[in-house]
Amino acid sequence: MSQTIEKIAPSFPLFRDDDYKDSLANKRDAFEEAHPQEKIEKTFEWTTSLEYQELNFQRQALTINPAKACQPLGAVLCALGFEKTLPYVHGSQGCVAYFRTYFNRHFKEPVACVSDSMIEDAAVFGGQKNMFEGLKNAKALYKPDMIAVSTTCMAEVIGDDLNAFITNAKKEGHIEESFPTPFAHTPSFVGSHTTGWDNMFEGTLRYFTLNTMEGKEVGSNGKINLVPGFETYLGNYRVLHRMMREMGVGYALLCDPSEVLDTPADGEYRMYDGGTPIAEVEDAPNAIDTLLLQPWQLAKTRKYVKSTWHHPVTDVTIPMGLGATDDFLMAVSELTGKPIPESLAKERGRLVDMMTDSHAWLHGKTFALWGDADFVLGMTRFLLEMGAEPRHILCNAANKRWKKQVEKMCADSPYGQNSTVHTGADLWHMRSLCFTDKPDFMIGNSYGKFIQRDTLKKGRAFEVPLIRIGFPIFDRHHLHRQTTLGYEGAMQMLTTIVNAVLERLDDETREMGVTDFNYDLVR
């Protein structure tokens, strides 16, 4: 079974060799104690039935692939968006290894993040000693300008107080009193990664502005603040910069990790790169207004900005698709007095032209989709704009108000009459829906590939292809550099979706002499 240098094979063809087949068969027969294949097939078939779906949707004590991650993951991404900032997680080493690995796999980029490696004794006596040593060592070794501290389950269960620990670390001289250390409690067993981003962001704003509001005046710097929320498409940061510059708007993008998560391979390692300067955060209360681009995930930030900065926080929805981008740019124009330039008007016209070109192929196609609350809302609206039908809409971490808004959006469109909206549900629920009320396609993250595989096992006619838009995307490369916001993002999403539809059509019509009467050269 050993390979030679002359014949090194990747894993896919390697495991088709007879010796590997024999080894795996022996493992199954001798060690796995598996049920008979007949019983496995019968059980699989039952899990595709309406009877099973009814039982599946009665689950309460078990979550299977929840379509969300935990709070500290979001806190780490938030910290990466500020200039020369080191994310620091108060908890065990294994948790931080998970966060780094998750982002490594999505961004294909090294991610700086440290922990204070709490172990058993810290669970009994508390983690203050870990915090003292951790802050001192992190600052000395990695030389950040700021350390942003969040927590994991262990620290939260035992009740560690970050404010007290950090204050004591400074009093005892482990780090300087003036060294910036914003923090947030981010228990993994509550909320999701978007909650963690919101908590860390609000903690950062609070740290730099709560006690320095004297002399601040709303509108005095002539800018608007943009808050992206938990955003993993790096192109979205860039398109926001571009649109604001084309409008001639003074603005601050509060949290921008696009440079540190997309550094060039030029021989120089950059632990820190880009990011929002702290000076912009300190000046942010002087802005005209603060626009939350993913408002459903930014409840804590909204409350702080309204109550402390006294900003109106003008309502906008995530600027995905045609109408939502129109609304966003109009809001910016009204707040700043700057007209929407001809360059963006032309870009809008090109999007409308693309939608017209592709409408015939998307009209009536049905989709299942899942993801974060704002992303799912934006994608649903975009599908409706194109005449597509969002059949199954799922968000694990969303509330009843969100569900009512999405249901109303669907009810107001002729293409949303058969839509169902599910909150608190997971991808095992989505699997049932894809069997019992089959959509034409799924839109979601990489975890949907297992649903596609299962539907294909039932038969070619049951397969539901996955279109990868969302987070995380582990099994495809460079999609994280794309854009989903603005007219540019709508163009890219439209291109991805319509070409997935056309690729599927070719796949279904390429059998010679049987289905290839519709294997057309021109689509």
Side-chain angles (χ1 to χ4, degrees):
M1 293 181 63
S2 61
Q3 297 186 61
T4 63
I5 295 175
E6 292 77 20
K7 192 179 179 182
I8 293 177
S11 60
F12 168 61
L14 184 66
F15 281 91
R16 299 175 70 185
D17 289 352
D18 288 339
D19 50 359
Y20 277 95
K21 288 180 181 179
D22 293 342
S23 176
L24 292 171
N26 179 64
K27 176 176 175 289
R28 283 193 297 268
D29 295 341
F31 301 105
E32 291 185 359
E33 299 181 4
H35 289 289
Q37 189 62 30
E38 182 181 355
K39 183 174 182 179
I40 293 173
E41 296 291 343
K42 186 176 180 180
T43 302
F44 172 85
E45 193 65 28
W46 177 61
T47 66
T48 71
S49 67
L50 275 170
E51 177 191 12
Y52 181 82
Q53 179 179 306
E54 291 176 4
L55 293 172
N56 192 11
F57 272 80
Q58 292 173 22
R59 270 191 293 123
Q60 293 182 342
L62 175 68
T63 298
I64 306 173
N65 204 341
K68 68 173 183 179
C70 61
Q71 279 206 51
L73 185 92
V76 169
L77 182 65
C78 180
L80 291 169
F82 294 97
E83 188 176 50
K84 289 200 73 173
T85 297
L86 180 67
Y88 179 112
V89 181
H90 180 52
S92 70
Q93 178 62 33
C95 291
V96 175
Y98 156 65
F99 307 144
R100 284 199 302 258
T101 301
Y102 214 79
F103 286 134
N104 293 156
R105 290 170 174 173
H106 178 80
F107 293 109
K108 308 294 188 273
E109 197 79 17
V111 172
C113 180
V114 299
S115 80
D116 47 24
S117 301
M118 291 171 64
I119 55 175
E120 290 85 349
D121 63 342
V124 178
F125 301 109
Q128 181 165 257
K129 286 186 178 180
N130 297 71
M131 179 72 72
F132 289 173
E133 290 297 313
L135 289 175
K136 180 176 68 175
N137 291 337
K139 183 176 183 298
L141 287 170
Y142 303 117
K143 299 176 174 54
D145 287 350
M146 179 169 91
I147 294 177
V149 185
S150 55
T151 56
T152 63
C153 297
M154 177 191 284
E156 290 296 325
V157 168
I158 64 178
D160 280 0
D161 184 339
L162 289 184
N163 186 39
F165 286 7
I166 294 170
T167 299
N168 292 339
K170 291 184 175 183
K171 283 181 179 178
E172 296 192 16
H174 298 286
I175 54 173
E176 298 86 346
E177 187 73 34
S178 60
F179 187 78
T181 50
F183 62 88
H185 285 273
T186 52
S188 301
F189 44 79
V190 178
S192 73
H193 55 284
T194 63
T195 319
W197 197 101
D198 184 30
N199 285 339
M200 189 74 251
F201 186 76
E202 189 265 355
T204 304
L205 301 188
R206 180 178 296 274
Y207 186 89
F208 288 107
T209 66
L210 180 63
N211 298 317
T212 58
M213 288 301 296
E214 186 176 350
K216 298 291 196 299
E217 182 182 349
V218 175
S220 61
N221 69 9
K223 297 180 179 180
I224 57 170
N225 299 323
L226 303 180
V227 180
F230 186 93
E231 177 56 70
T232 58
Y233 279 93
L234 302 183
N236 286 343
Y237 298 97
R238 291 160 185 161
V239 81
L240 288 169
H241 283 299
R242 178 177 66 81
M243 289 192 298
M244 295 303 98
R245 288 167 182 160
E246 289 186 24
M247 288 187 71
V249 168
Y251 71 99
L253 182 55
L254 300 181
C255 191
D256 180 0
S258 59
E259 290 301 313
V260 75
L261 292 173
D262 197 16
T263 57
D266 58 3
E268 177 188 351
Y269 172 63
R270 298 164 174 84
M271 178 171 284
Y272 312 107
D273 201 9
T276 301
I278 295 309
E280 285 198 351
V281 179
E282 294 172 333
D283 186 47
N286 292 318
I288 300 165
D289 199 0
T290 299
L291 301 184
L292 310 181
L293 304 189
Q294 298 196 60
W296 283 103
Q297 63 170 258
L298 294 169
K300 200 169 182 179
T301 296
R302 175 189 292 276
K303 183 178 179 180
Y304 180 81
V305 170
K306 287 176 76 76
S307 62
T308 303
W309 293 2
H310 305 297
H311 286 192
V313 191
T314 299
D315 284 332
V316 294
T317 59
I318 186 170
M320 287 176 64
L322 181 67
T325 303
D326 290 348
D327 295 343
F328 168 68
L329 293 177
M330 288 297 293
V332 172
S333 179
E334 290 170 8
L335 287 167
T336 63
K338 298 284 188 178
I340 297 172
E342 180 64 20
S343 60
L344 290 177
K346 279 189 174 181
E347 191 175 341
R348 182 187 191 277
R350 293 188 183 103
L351 171 60
V352 172
D353 182 54
M354 290 176 65
M355 294 172 71
T356 304
D357 292 341
S358 302
H359 174 265
W361 294 108
L362 295 175
H363 177 81
K365 289 289 186 292
T366 57
F367 293 83
L369 61 150
W370 66 87
D372 299 336
D374 294 282
F375 167 80
V376 170
L377 185 147
M379 181 60 74
T380 298
R381 182 173 179 179
F382 185 48
L383 290 172
L384 294 172
E385 287 177 334
M386 295 189 297
E389 299 181 14
R391 181 67 58 82
H392 308 300
I393 303 164
L394 185 148
C395 179
N396 184 287
N399 57 29
K400 292 179 181 178
R401 290 186 298 108
W402 179 89
K403 182 178 181 181
K404 286 182 179 179
Q405 181 173 340
V406 178
E407 286 177 338
K408 184 179 186 306
M409 183 194 306
C410 293
D412 290 344
S413 169
Y415 308 112
Q417 300 305 301
N418 296 315
S419 300
T420 58
V421 183
H422 305 274
T423 58
D426 56 41
L427 291 189
W428 195 253
H429 293 113
M430 179 61 78
R431 177 185 181 275
S432 281
L433 294 169
C434 286
F435 277 118
T436 60
D437 188 12
K438 178 185 176 298
D440 295 313
F441 296 89
M442 298 179 288
I443 296 176
N445 60 30
S446 290
Y447 288 97
K449 70 187 299 178
F450 298 105
I451 300 177
Q452 179 173 352
R453 180 188 62 179
D454 283 6
T455 55
L456 175 61
K457 177 176 172 56
K458 188 174 173 70
R460 181 69 172 171
F462 296 90
E463 183 183 11
V464 183
L466 171 64
I467 301 172
R468 289 165 174 80
I469 307 177
F471 172 82
I473 306 295
F474 289 154
D475 62 333
R476 297 292 184 271
H477 283 216
H478 311 305
L479 298 187
H480 66 277
R481 291 187 171 90
Q482 293 187 343
T483 307
T484 62
L485 300 186
Y487 303 129
E488 179 184 331
M491 291 178 189
Q492 290 191 21
M493 290 192 299
L494 172 57
T495 301
T496 298
I497 294 169
V498 73
N499 284 323
V501 171
L502 296 176
E503 179 64 33
R504 181 65 174 177
L505 181 58
D506 277 357
D507 196 33
E508 292 175 336
T509 60
R510 61 167 51 109
E511 188 175 357
M512 294 180 65
V514 180
T515 62
D516 63 343
F517 303 105
N518 297 109
Y519 193 62
D520 296 334
L521 179 63
V522 180
R523 295 291 192 192

